[in-house]
């Protein structure tokens, strides 16, 4: 596969869209895809192409001109998340409390992965609720306070394997239950073994309820009447891994860190190292790489396309929507005032300038202003021809 022709203009050398374009049909012959997976792949192929329309930038002084095509805005597209991420971070900065935040990661044993892949929406939701309930209950019993929690679901490893886990950004302290004071938390939140044990109990209880409601019906591994009990016994013997990192020193550091998780997709174009008809090589971590066949690469990629309408960023405790005008306001009043954050850039041009330092409204050749002229909309496909009706008898 040839490198992307525009990589010299600051774009990645290879693009996932090109892999999808060339190998999607082979994937469809091997793997049945859900509707949201098909739509996401189609969006990646069309993103920033003439099929979605756009405009022509022309310099007011020299002969420079270039087409700029619209983005697909699909949340799984690796080219569409930077501006959405920046807008989200600025919006959250108005709500995040000016205190340190712990980073807590909740994972589940690998024995549960097949069932989670089978019932994605129900079990992903159960995973996020169990993580939030664990932190909320420990804060209530150990601190006598309510925390602010932002939870983000991820489903991948750096090798694109299926690995559901939840990243939680948790306030280093909470609002006392009687709302009279702020209860600070120092170098650690709660013992990770305590967090893990309570999380295991809540998640297993949720799985049992879902099983009683028929959530696992049709799952081959549980057709044996004893299969579910065997699975639960195996899960009960595991130490469920919870990772907790010390609080961030400042809110600004938190925002930068948070942006790495909220709108991240399974893999970015920048991680592709080499692509041809037989292999896709991409960076993993610590300088290592992984090489896969293109169809296997796409098979792993679609594992991380979420069910349609599933909310992967959720807020709990003080950050829950219902508490924003009440308990969150009270908590903020009890804390020292933080420095005012810079106002959110209003247009995508300003956001792009703030992110990469490149003003797309300025001619790269002479520095004069660029004017945007709408490109004609792509013509809809011609309706299929049909035979004339048969003559009346």
């Amino acid at each position: 596969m040839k490198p992307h022709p525009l990589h010299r203009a600051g774009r990645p050398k290879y693009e996932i869209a090109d892999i999808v374009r060339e190998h999607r049909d082979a994937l469809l012959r091997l793997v049945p895809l859900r509707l949201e997976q098909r739509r996401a792949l189609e969006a990646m192929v069309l993103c920033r192409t003439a099929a979605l329309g756009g405009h022509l930038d022309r310099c007011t002084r020299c002969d420079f001109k270039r087409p700029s095509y619209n983005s697909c805005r699909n949340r799984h597209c690796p080219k569409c998340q930077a501006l959405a991420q920046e807008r989200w971070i600025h919006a959250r900065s108005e709500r995040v409390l000016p205190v340190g935040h712990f980073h807590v990661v909740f994972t589940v044993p690998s024995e549960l992965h097949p069932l989670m892949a089978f019932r994605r929406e129900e079990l992903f939701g159960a995973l996020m609720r169990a993580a939030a309930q664990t932190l909320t209950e420990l804060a209530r019993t150990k601190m006598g306070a309510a925390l602010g929690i932002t939870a983000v679901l991820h489903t991948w490893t750096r090798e694109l394997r299926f690995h559901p886990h939840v990243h939680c950004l948790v306030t280093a302290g909470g609002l006392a239950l009687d709302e009279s004071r702020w209860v600070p938390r120092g170098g650690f939140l709660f013992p990770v073994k305590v967090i893990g044990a309570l999380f295991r109990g809540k998640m297993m209880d949720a799985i049992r309820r879902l099983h009683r409601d028929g959530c696992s019906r049709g799952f081959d591994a549980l057709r044996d009447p004893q299969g579910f009990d065997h699975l639960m016994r195996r899960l009960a013997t595991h130490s469920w891994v919870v990772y907790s990192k010390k609080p961030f020193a400042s809110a600004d550091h938190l925002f930068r860190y948070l942006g790495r998780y909220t709108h991240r997709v399974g893999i970015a174009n920048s991680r592709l190292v080499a692509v041809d008809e037989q292999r896709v090589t991409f960076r993993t971590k610590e300088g290592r790489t992984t090489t896969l066949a293109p169809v296997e690469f796409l098979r792993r990629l679609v594992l991380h396309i979420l069910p349609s309408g599933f909310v992967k960023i959720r807020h709990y405790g003080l950050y829950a929507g219902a508490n924003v005008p009440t308990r969150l306001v009270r908590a903020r009043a009890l804390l020292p005032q933080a420095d005012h954050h810079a106002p959110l850039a209003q247009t995508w041009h300003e956001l792009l300038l703030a992110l990469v330092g490149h003003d797309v409204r300025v001619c790269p050749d002479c520095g004069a202003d660029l004017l945007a002229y709408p490109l004609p909309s792509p013509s809809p496909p011609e309706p299929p021809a049909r035979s004339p009706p048969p003559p009346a008898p």
Side-chain angles (χ1 to χ4, degrees), residues 184-236:
R185 203 64 173 174
F188 75 99
L189 185 59
F190 309 111
V192 290
K193 290 187 177 179
V194 174
I195 300 175
L198 183 57
F199 170 61
R200 176 180 60 192
K202 290 187 175 297
M203 188 64 187
M204 290 182 64
D205 184 58
I207 294 169
R208 289 190 184 96
R209 290 198 306 271
L210 289 169
H211 178 68
R212 287 195 298 267
D213 293 340
C215 180
S216 57
R217 188 177 297 117
F219 184 55
D220 288 341
L222 298 183
R223 291 188 185 279
D224 179 353
Q226 303 300 318
F228 182 76
D229 292 334
H230 290 322
L231 172 63
M232 298 306 287
R233 283 196 293 270
R234 290 199 304 272
L235 295 178

Side-chain angles (χ1 to χ4, degrees), residues 65-76:
K65 59 183 179 181
R66 69 180 172 208
S68 295
Y69 299 117
N70 296 330
S71 300
C72 68
R73 299 187 180 182
N74 187 286
R75 63 174 171 167
H76 299 101

Side-chain angles (χ1 to χ4, degrees), residues 103-106 134 138 188-199 240-245:
H103 178 198
V104 186
V105 183
F106 293 84
T134 297
L138 287 174
F188 75 99
L189 185 59
F190 309 111
V192 290
K193 290 187 177 179
V194 174
I195 300 175
L198 183 57
F199 170 61
W240 291 37
V241 179
V242 175
Y243 167 85
S244 181
K245 188 175 181 178

Side-chain angles (χ1 to χ4, degrees), residues 99-106 135 166-173 185-192 195 241-250 253-254 256-258 260-261 264:
V99 296
H101 282 70
F102 292 94
H103 178 198
V104 186
V105 183
F106 293 84
L135 294 170
V166 175
H167 296 267
C168 292
L169 277 296
V170 186
T171 52
R185 203 64 173 174
F188 75 99
L189 185 59
F190 309 111
V192 290
I195 300 175
V241 179
V242 175
Y243 167 85
S244 181
K245 188 175 181 178
K246 64 181 181 180
F248 297 101
S250 69
H253 187 187
L254 168 68
R256 290 194 297 271
Y257 191 84
L258 190 60
R260 293 169 52 188
Y261 289 94
R264 179 183 287 180

Side-chain angles (χ1 to χ4, degrees), residues 44-270:
M44 294 179 198
V45 168
L46 298 180
C47 188
R48 299 183 189 175
T49 67
L52 297 183
H55 63 272
L56 182 68
D57 294 321
R58 299 187 64 175
C59 181
T60 57
R61 182 187 301 165
C62 68
D63 293 332
F64 176 83
K65 59 183 179 181
R66 69 180 172 208
S68 295
Y69 299 117
N70 296 330
S71 300
C72 68
R73 299 187 180 182
N74 187 286
R75 63 174 171 167
H76 299 101
C77 177
K79 293 189 289 189
C80 287
Q81 299 308 303
L83 296 183
Q85 171 183 299
E86 192 69 11
R87 291 185 189 277
W88 187 90
I89 291 173
H90 276 272
R92 293 308 306 175
S93 69
E94 301 301 321
R95 293 188 177 183
V96 172
L97 291 170
V99 296
H101 282 70
F102 292 94
H103 178 198
V104 186
V105 183
F106 293 84
T107 64
V108 298
S110 59
E111 287 85 349
L112 193 53
H113 291 178
L115 182 59
M116 296 192 77
F118 180 72
R119 287 292 186 217
R120 299 160 65 86
E121 186 167 7
E122 295 89 342
L123 285 168
F124 288 170
L127 171 60
M128 299 188 77
R129 288 189 296 271
Q133 290 168 3
T134 297
L135 294 170
T136 300
E137 183 173 318
L138 287 174
R140 185 175 64 251
T141 58
K142 303 291 186 182
M143 298 170 53
L147 302 170
I149 304 167
T150 292
V152 184
L153 174 73
H154 282 181
T155 62
W156 57 82
T157 66
R158 294 286 287 182
E159 294 80 18
L160 286 180
R161 298 186 185 279
F162 188 69
H163 178 64
H165 57 284
V166 175
H167 296 267
C168 292
L169 277 296
V170 186
T171 52
L175 178 66
L177 298 180
D178 62 2
E179 302 186 8
S180 63
R181 61 192 178 93
W182 178 260
V183 182
R185 203 64 173 174
F188 75 99
L189 185 59
F190 309 111
V192 290
K193 290 187 177 179
V194 174
I195 300 175
L198 183 57
F199 170 61
R200 176 180 60 192
K202 290 187 175 297
M203 188 64 187
M204 290 182 64
D205 184 58
I207 294 169
R208 289 190 184 96
R209 290 198 306 271
L210 289 169
H211 178 68
R212 287 195 298 267
D213 293 340
C215 180
S216 57
R217 188 177 297 117
F219 184 55
D220 288 341
L222 298 183
R223 291 188 185 279
D224 179 353
Q226 303 300 318
F228 182 76
D229 292 334
H230 290 322
L231 172 63
M232 298 306 287
R233 283 196 293 270
R234 290 199 304 272
L235 295 178
T237 61
H238 278 277
S239 296
W240 291 37
V241 179
V242 175
Y243 167 85
S244 181
K245 188 175 181 178
K246 64 181 181 180
F248 297 101
S250 69
D252 287 337
H253 187 187
L254 168 68
F255 297 141
R256 290 194 297 271
Y257 191 84
L258 190 60
R260 293 169 52 188
Y261 289 94
T262 54
H263 290 71
R264 179 183 287 180
V265 295
I267 184 170
N269 289 327
S270 58

Side-chain angles (χ1 to χ4, degrees), residues 264-334:
R264 179 183 287 180
V265 295
I267 184 170
N269 289 327
S270 58
R271 287 175 54 198
L272 297 178
V273 175
V275 178
D276 58 33
E277 293 300 322
Q278 287 77 39
R279 293 174 295 274
V280 176
T281 301
F282 56 95
R283 284 188 290 272
T284 54
K285 58 182 178 181
E286 298 177 354
R288 296 192 293 268
T289 61
T290 292
T291 299
L292 302 172
V295 174
E296 172 61 14
F297 174 84
L298 293 182
R299 187 195 68 81
R300 293 192 187 184
L301 180 69
V302 299
L303 289 175
H304 312 297
I305 295 174
L306 296 174
S308 179
F310 184 86
V311 180
K312 76 168 194 173
I313 307 173
R314 304 185 184 187
H315 309 285
Y316 302 92
L318 299 178
Y319 290 156
N323 291 327
V324 167
T326 54
R327 302 175 76 190
L328 183 61
V329 172
R330 176 59 181 160
R332 192 179 301 278
L334 295 170

